[in-house]
Amino acid sequence: MRRLLYIAGLTLALGNIPPAQAMTVVELDEPGSVTEENNEAREISQEFLSTASQMWFLLSGVSSQQDADKAAGRFTELIKRTFELDNRLSELPMVAPETGCVGMLDAVQVRILETMDDINLEFQSICRAHCYGSRQLKAAFEYAIELGMFAEEDRELLNDSGIPLTDEESQAEIVRLNRLAEPDRAVLDILVTVQNEEDASEAASKLASLSQQLNGLVPAPNRENRQFSPSAEAAARSVLAPLEPILWAIRSEIVRIAALPGYEAETYDEFSVALDLVFESLGATHVILFDSVFDASFRSDLDDALRENSISSQ
């Protein structure tokens, strides 16, 4: 099935064509004066962006079977509307960007691409959670693949039910998760102390050490993205429950620190490198919770903090 035509055209114009997303090429018109078609395209693009944003917001809130079942119907409605808007846009002429830049692509179109990327990340995260057991949401995702919202190659990810962990593997994973509480709290405690560049400099080596500690708690490759055995599910939920609020607090502290005056200066570089290491380590160790906490809204919050910081420093 073809990829969405309008998104395909924008991606082509930006010069960024991921190999996993085979797409139908939309012919681009030469740059010209503003026409009724341009105005119509802008209006439809605005609605396209609004619909895509609603879709992302809907998926970002799915964290249980109940959520997934509830979201399935609305997601299908949004998919249908997106497909309709895409067809309307693909019938309109698109203005090609000038050589070496994307100046002719307006901000709305670029934001559409970014939102579609965020939707794909949420889709993959939910697929790794096996749609939380929701047949309705899985069917809605299948429909989205048929319409071209997601790549055909993603069907394998969607249909990968995975072999549950054995009781022995589940117990080993629960023990590992228990051991994460200490370094998680230590990371949070250190981040809370960072109020200026002096604090950041002092925290850098501590964070680097904690990153190494976390790396020693990475799950075995054969246990990643697999469900717990039925007999271990209650114990697993009990272990995960106190870890999630710590990760949310770490998320908040990272955004707060990014907004500190002068954070983009070289004086914070050592701290930033150490924080990046810790962030990667948290992602490797918290494969169950990480994507739901550090989701697309986190990246948006972080971008906003850095942007405001940059503006205030001018």
Side-chain angles (χ1 to χ4, degrees):
M1 186 70 183
R2 66 151 173 86
R3 299 292 284 166
L4 295 177
L5 289 174
Y6 184 62
I7 297 302
L10 289 180
T11 307
L12 176 63
L14 286 172
N16 177 21
I17 309 178
Q21 299 182 358
M23 55 187 71
T24 300
V25 175
V26 178
E27 293 185 2
L28 304 178
D29 290 343
E30 292 300 319
S33 60
V34 176
T35 65
E36 290 186 13
E37 287 83 359
N38 295 129
N39 291 328
E40 184 178 2
R42 183 178 293 277
E43 291 175 2
I44 300 174
S45 295
Q46 288 280 6
E47 185 178 353
F48 194 115
L49 176 60
S50 174
T51 305
S53 297
Q54 293 177 57
M55 195 182 305
W56 167 79
F57 185 78
L58 182 70
L59 293 185
S60 67
V62 173
S63 60
S64 67
Q65 182 174 348
Q66 183 178 5
D67 294 338
D69 288 343
K70 185 178 180 180
R74 178 58 177 161
F75 179 78
T76 301
E77 293 175 2
L78 292 171
I79 282 290
K80 290 179 179 178
R81 185 55 181 160
T82 299
F83 186 71
E84 293 169 359
L85 293 169
D86 179 76
N87 279 337
R88 289 174 61 187
L89 285 167
S90 64
E91 293 172 357
L92 295 174
M94 294 179 64
V95 180
E98 297 175 358
T99 303
C101 72
V102 293
M104 299 298 289
L105 288 174
D106 65 23
V108 174
Q109 295 170 332
V110 174
R111 287 176 62 195
I112 287 174
L113 283 175
E114 294 173 346
T115 304
M116 297 300 287
D117 284 342
D118 290 339
I119 289 172
N120 192 59
L121 288 174
E122 293 296 338
F123 163 77
Q124 292 180 357
S125 176
I126 293 173
C127 284
R128 285 194 291 270
H130 312 295
C131 294
Y132 297 96
S134 172
R135 293 182 179 179
Q136 293 96 315
L137 188 57
K138 181 180 178 182
F141 281 168
E142 290 276 7
Y143 179 65
I145 291 174
E146 289 297 326
L147 290 184
M149 173 65 69
F150 306 118
E152 187 66 33
E153 292 83 353
D154 289 333
R155 196 182 299 276
E156 182 178 348
L157 176 63
L158 176 62
N159 292 321
D160 181 17
S161 59
I163 301 174
L165 297 169
T166 64
D167 289 342
E168 182 179 356
E169 289 172 328
S170 295
Q171 185 56 41
E173 184 63 7
I174 288 172
V175 169
R176 183 190 72 84
L177 291 172
N178 254 322
R179 294 174 61 193
L180 288 174
E182 180 182 351
D184 284 356
R185 290 194 187 97
V187 169
L188 177 58
D189 290 344
I190 291 172
L191 294 181
V192 169
T193 67
V194 178
Q195 303 294 329
N196 51 51
E197 60 186 41
E198 290 79 10
D199 297 336
S201 179
E202 184 178 343
S205 60
K206 298 177 182 178
L207 289 177
S209 177
L210 282 170
S211 175
Q212 294 180 357
Q213 185 178 347
L214 285 166
N215 289 340
L217 296 173
V218 173
N222 64 341
R223 294 205 296 263
E224 287 185 1
N225 300 319
R226 290 170 61 193
Q227 294 177 311
F228 287 92
S229 64
S231 63
E233 286 181 356
R237 286 195 297 269
S238 178
V239 172
L240 289 169
L243 295 179
E244 186 168 10
I246 298 176
L247 292 180
W248 277 101
I250 289 174
R251 166 183 162 149
S252 297
E253 288 302 311
I254 292 175
V255 174
R256 178 190 65 80
I257 292 171
L260 288 176
Y263 181 73
E264 293 183 333
E266 293 182 2
T267 50
Y268 279 94
D269 284 355
E270 183 182 1
F271 172 81
S272 296
V273 170
L275 183 58
D276 285 344
L277 290 175
V278 165
F279 188 77
E280 292 176 5
S281 298
L282 290 172
T285 53
H286 291 277
V287 291
I288 298 175
L289 297 172
F290 189 81
D291 286 343
S292 63
V293 175
F294 298 96
D295 57 7
S297 67
F298 165 70
R299 293 188 296 277
S300 177
D301 291 345
L302 193 59
D303 287 343
D304 289 343
L306 293 171
R307 188 178 301 111
E308 290 176 8
N309 196 332
S310 177
I311 293 174
S312 63
S313 64
Q314 291 178 356

